[in-house]
């Protein structure tokens, strides 16, 4: 039994913390919806103004292109490599697996500098590929680990039955194992999407032309150039944050559960 | 579990085809991650400005990390950030999760969504919001003024003493939700009769927490610490957008130094050495935390 006093104290503590958690978010939302410092716009008009002045349409398009590419490619590659690690035995298996594990902890700070100079000598700097491919590499490490854990736990009997029916390994993967793996794949998709959308260092280093800037990068530049007042900057921030927040709110159950499973299994 | 051979080989039987499934992932991974980290180690042994021929300097760049006061300071700042990113959220998160798990609070789902939200928002957006909070005419100073504490107001991010803690508080703000959610999941798995037994033994809420709750979530604590300590060591976007390492070098951190040295000062070798050192520190720390957690469990 919880005493009345304890219950009141609990609500007070939780409310104080919720206020702390929401404080900066409310700050930025109310600034974005308030009257512009320079006058002229207010409310939703700020978003239109920020959209036009800050070129956020271009940045969102480029973020969407990079994120979709990274998500699709790294999820497909991770399913394939996770399948190999999770259900098959082969020479060099554990060495290869440890090599992949290195990548989970590898900070992008360590690889970004050498990648910049090597890609520069190949003439690949300031292209879509210089932003997308390093992020595929970073995501594939976690994805392989993630899908391996799933496939290891999947039923051997079904795989064996399919084999007896003469199904190839390729068909077993896509028609037998992947359909029930949907929750695991959805979680991986959300995580990779979020990481890619929010990544800052790699686009910052790899890209100079404006058309290739991702949304967070565009926002950082907008902050540097646009110094007259906070309203439009706040509106731009909301624009950049919204896609991921919507994604999160829709899929948060999967997302949080997935995060926990992945984290605790590690 | 042996099956007659005529049934076909069991699924795990040695397979060459496994290499084909690994190949595409491994190719991207090797070209864009393994090779660059090797190159980083190589570059870190040179004095190179990115244009002319590099000069072999052996371990000089690493010696400089220990000897150079500015670089030592950057790693020191990362240690301070660990307190804000990992220790603070762990203490607060334990409290919040214990309350949420124990008291049948209404609106648990709402609360969990709210505290976790900062994790989802791009760090650049977080940084822009907090710059506003900390600005001389910002929300924090307005609040302080409203409760009659005008003497405390200042430009928080421009203050030599307060800039680093101010950046740290942002870390506490966005990691606490993650830690709380992780711990809450661990606590919800604790069987109820453990609590009943403790209560029957006459344990109060505090003793119950230390005797039952805390030992049961050791695994989750290890995971939470690993994730938050790594996040603290890797702080980049936040510093880039809020302070650029300033004022002076009071908020410089290793990953900002990597960027600044490589692309601001054209000291590629030094930047690479910091990146490699940071990687090693992250490996050692994660390994250490997990070793510690394993030993305590067994």
């Amino acid at each position: 039994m919880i005493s009345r006093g304890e219950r009141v104290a609990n609500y007070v503590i939780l409310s104080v913390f919720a206020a702390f958690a929401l404080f900066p978010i409310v700050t930025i939302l109310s600034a974005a919806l308030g009257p512009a410092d320079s006058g002229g716009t207010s409310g939703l008009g700020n978003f239109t103004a920020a959209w036009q002045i800050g070129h956020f349409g271009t940045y969102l398009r480029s973020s969407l292109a990079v994120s979709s590419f990274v998500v699709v490619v790294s999820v497909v590659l991770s399913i394939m490599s996770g399948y190999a690690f999770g259900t098959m035995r082969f020479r060099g298996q554990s060495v290869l697996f440890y090599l992949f594990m290195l990548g989970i902890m590898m900070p992008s700070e360590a690889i970004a500098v050498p990648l910049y100079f090597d890609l520069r000598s190949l003439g690949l700097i300031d292209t879509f590929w210089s932003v997308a491919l390093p992020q595929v590499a970073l995501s594939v490490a976690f994805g392989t680990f993630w899908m391996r854990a799933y496939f290891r736990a999947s039923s051997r009997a079904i795989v064996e039955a399919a084999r007896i029916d003469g199904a190839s390994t390729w068909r077993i993967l896509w028609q037998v194992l992947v359909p029930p793996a949907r929750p695991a794949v959805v979680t991986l998709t959300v995580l990779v999407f979020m990481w890619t959308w929010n990544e800052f260092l790699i686009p910052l280093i790899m890209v100079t032309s404006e058309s290739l800037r991702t949304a967070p990068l565009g926002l950082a530049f907008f902050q540097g150039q646009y110094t007259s007042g906070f309203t439009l900057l706040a509106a731009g921030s909301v624009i950049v944050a919204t896609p991921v927040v919507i994604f999160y709110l829709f899929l948060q159950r999967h997302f949080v559960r997935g995060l926990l499973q992945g984290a605790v299994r590690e | 579990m042996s099956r007659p051979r005529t049934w076909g080989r069991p699924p795990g039987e040695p397979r060459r085809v496994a290499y084909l499934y690994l190949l595409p992932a491994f190719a991207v991974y090797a070209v864009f991650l393994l090779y660059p980290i090797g190159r980083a180690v190589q570059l870190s042994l040179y004095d190179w400005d990115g244009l002319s021929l590099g000069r072999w300097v052996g371990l000089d760049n690493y010696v400089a990390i220990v000897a150079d006061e500015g670089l030592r300071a950057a790693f020191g700042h990362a240690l301070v950030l660990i307190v804000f990113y990992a220790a603070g959220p762990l203490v607060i998160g334990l409290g919040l999760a214990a309350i949420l798990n124990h008291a049948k609070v209404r609106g648990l789902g709402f609360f969990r969504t709210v505290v976790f939200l900062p994790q989802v928002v791009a760090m650049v957006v977080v940084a822009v919001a907090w710059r506003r909070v900390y600005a001389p005419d910002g929300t924090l100073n307005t609040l302080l003024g409203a409760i009659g504490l005008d003497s405390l107001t200042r430009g928080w991010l421009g203050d030599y003493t307060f800039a680093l803690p101010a950046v740290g508080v942002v870390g506490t703000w966005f990691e606490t939700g993650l830690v709380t959610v992780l711990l809450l999941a661990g606590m919800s798995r604790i069987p109820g009769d453990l609590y009943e037994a403790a209560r029957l033994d006459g344990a109060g809420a505090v003793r119950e927490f230390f005797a039952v709750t805390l030992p049961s979530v050791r695994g989750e604590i290890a995971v939470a610490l690993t994730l938050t300590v790594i996040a603290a060591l890797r702080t980049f976007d936040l510093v880039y957008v809020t302070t650029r390492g300033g004022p002076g070098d009071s908020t410089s951190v290793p990953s900002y130094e990597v960027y600044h040295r490589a692309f601001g000062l054209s000291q590629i070798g030094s930047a690479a050495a910091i990146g490699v050192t940071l990687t090693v520190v992250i490996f050692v720390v994660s390994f250490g935390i997990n070793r510690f957690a394993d030993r305590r469990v067994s």
Side-chain angles (χ1 to χ4, degrees):
Chain A
M1 275 289 106
I2 299 156
S3 72
R4 210 186 136 83
E6 198 179 329
R7 184 151 54 201
V8 171
N10 286 345
Y11 276 110
V12 170
I13 295 172
L14 292 179
S15 311
V16 167
F17 196 80
F20 175 57
L22 285 173
F23 177 48
I25 296 173
V26 170
T27 297
I28 210 160
L29 269 179
S30 62
L33 291 169
D37 322 69
S38 50
T41 61
S42 70
L44 294 178
N46 295 330
F47 291 96
T48 325
W51 186 272
Q52 281 160 356
I53 299 172
H55 309 288
F56 283 102
T58 315
Y59 305 149
L60 288 186
R61 203 162 39 231
S62 139
S63 266
L64 202 64
V66 171
S67 301
S68 345
F69 178 84
V70 173
V71 164
V72 170
V73 173
S74 58
V75 168
V76 170
L77 298 193
S78 302
I79 288 175
M80 287 168 63
S81 55
Y83 175 53
F85 278 121
T87 68
M88 302 177 188
R89 282 193 294 121
F90 48 94
R91 283 171 70 91
Q93 184 160 19
S94 44
V95 174
L96 281 169
F97 184 67
Y98 282 122
L99 268 183
F100 271 99
M101 286 308 87
L102 282 181
I104 289 186
M105 283 179 288
M106 189 78 68
S108 47
E109 288 80 1
I111 56 162
V113 172
L115 258 179
Y116 172 83
F117 289 100
D118 285 338
L119 291 176
R120 194 181 67 175
S121 51
L122 292 172
L124 283 173
I125 282 303
D126 208 20
T127 61
F128 175 82
W129 308 110
S130 63
V131 184
L133 290 174
Q135 297 194 75
V136 172
L138 287 162
S139 304
V140 141
F142 175 79
T144 298
F145 167 77
W146 178 253
M147 291 314 301
R148 167 187 173 266
Y150 178 82
F151 287 132
R152 265 164 76 100
S154 65
S155 158
R156 287 295 148 95
I158 297 176
V159 175
E160 223 166 304
R163 279 187 63 76
I164 293 160
D165 289 347
S168 64
T169 52
W170 184 253
R171 276 194 57 182
I172 292 177
L173 173 60
W174 296 108
Q175 293 185 0
V176 178
L177 288 174
V178 167
R182 228 171 63 190
V185 173
V186 168
T187 305
L188 182 61
T189 303
V190 177
L191 285 172
V192 172
F193 176 75
M194 193 182 90
W195 291 334
T196 311
W197 188 274
N198 293 345
E199 171 67 38
F200 185 67
L201 181 68
I202 288 177
L204 174 70
I205 290 178
M206 300 298 176
V207 151
T208 47
S209 55
E210 202 183 318
S211 60
L212 286 169
R213 268 181 209 158
T214 56
L217 190 61
L219 179 63
F221 274 85
F222 187 51
Q223 180 193 237
Q225 289 158 359
Y226 184 82
T227 45
S228 62
F230 184 65
T231 309
L232 295 194
L233 186 58
S237 304
V238 174
I239 293 172
V240 171
T242 302
V244 196
V245 171
I246 290 175
F247 220 66
Y248 162 67
L249 292 178
F250 266 113
L251 294 168
Q252 59 155 323
R253 276 166 200 282
H254 277 300
F255 178 71
V256 171
R257 196 191 315 140
L259 190 84
L260 295 173
Q261 283 172 352
V264 177
R265 269 193 205 144
E266 204 169 325
Chain B
M1 233 186 55
S2 66
R3 290 188 177 279
R5 280 264 146 191
T6 47
W7 276 46
R9 293 176 302 173
E13 196 79 329
R15 291 280 172 68
R16 294 247 170 79
V17 72
Y19 298 115
L20 284 180
Y21 282 98
L22 281 181
L23 187 67
F26 191 75
V28 184
Y29 181 71
V31 172
F32 289 93
L33 208 143
L34 288 180
Y35 178 73
I37 192 71
R39 284 279 285 159
V41 173
Q42 186 195 8
L43 286 178
S44 74
L45 304 173
Y46 283 84
D47 180 14
W48 187 43
D49 62 6
L51 295 167
S52 58
L53 271 178
R55 186 171 61 89
W56 170 267
V57 293
L59 293 175
D60 281 8
N61 287 321
Y62 291 94
V63 174
I65 293 175
V66 185
D68 183 323
E69 208 176 315
L71 282 180
R72 238 183 12 230
F75 278 90
H77 296 154
L79 292 182
V80 175
L81 289 186
I82 288 178
V83 175
F84 284 98
Y85 276 62
L90 182 63
V91 173
I92 304 172
L94 275 170
L96 291 177
I99 292 176
L100 288 169
N101 183 48
H102 206 61
K104 308 238 171 328
V105 189
R106 280 158 191 262
L108 182 127
F110 168 79
F111 187 78
R112 213 168 44 184
T113 308
V114 165
V115 294
F116 199 77
L117 203 55
Q119 282 286 321
V120 187
V121 176
M123 187 51 81
V124 179
V125 173
V126 167
V128 167
W130 277 91
R131 263 183 70 124
R132 177 63 176 178
V133 170
Y134 285 140
D137 60 344
T139 348
L140 180 57
N141 284 340
T142 313
L143 267 180
L144 285 173
I147 54 173
L149 291 173
D150 300 84
S151 54
L152 292 179
T153 59
R154 67 195 73 228
W156 296 90
L157 292 169
D159 188 294
Y160 276 86
T161 317
F162 286 96
L164 186 62
V167 170
V169 167
V170 182
T172 311
W173 176 75
F174 69 75
E175 297 295 0
T176 299
L178 173 72
V179 175
T180 307
V181 170
L182 279 170
L183 293 174
L184 188 58
M187 288 180 192
S188 65
R189 279 199 289 268
I190 303 173
D193 41 350
L194 274 182
Y195 284 112
E196 278 167 35
R199 288 271 149 139
L200 281 178
D201 287 349
V206 174
R207 261 202 45 208
E208 184 185 86
F209 175 78
F210 283 102
V212 179
T213 311
L214 202 54
S216 310
V217 292
R218 230 174 244 151
E220 282 77 10
I221 290 178
V223 172
L225 281 181
T226 311
L227 294 174
T228 51
V229 168
I230 292 178
L233 290 170
R234 293 189 49 188
T235 311
F236 174 76
D237 329 14
L238 183 58
V239 165
Y240 180 90
V241 176
T242 52
T243 64
R244 302 238 170 178
D249 63 356
S250 59
T251 57
S252 75
V253 286
S255 49
Y256 186 75
E257 284 296 317
V258 172
Y259 172 80
H260 179 60
R261 287 191 182 233
F263 301 101
L265 306 174
S266 295
Q267 300 171 358
I268 317 304
S270 172
I274 301 168
V276 171
T277 308
L278 186 64
T279 309
V280 172
V281 171
I282 287 177
F283 281 4
V284 169
V285 166
S286 349
F287 187 72
I289 292 174
N290 289 301
R291 265 292 293 272
F292 184 71
D294 286 345
R295 203 176 43 215
R296 293 285 293 275
V297 169
S298 59

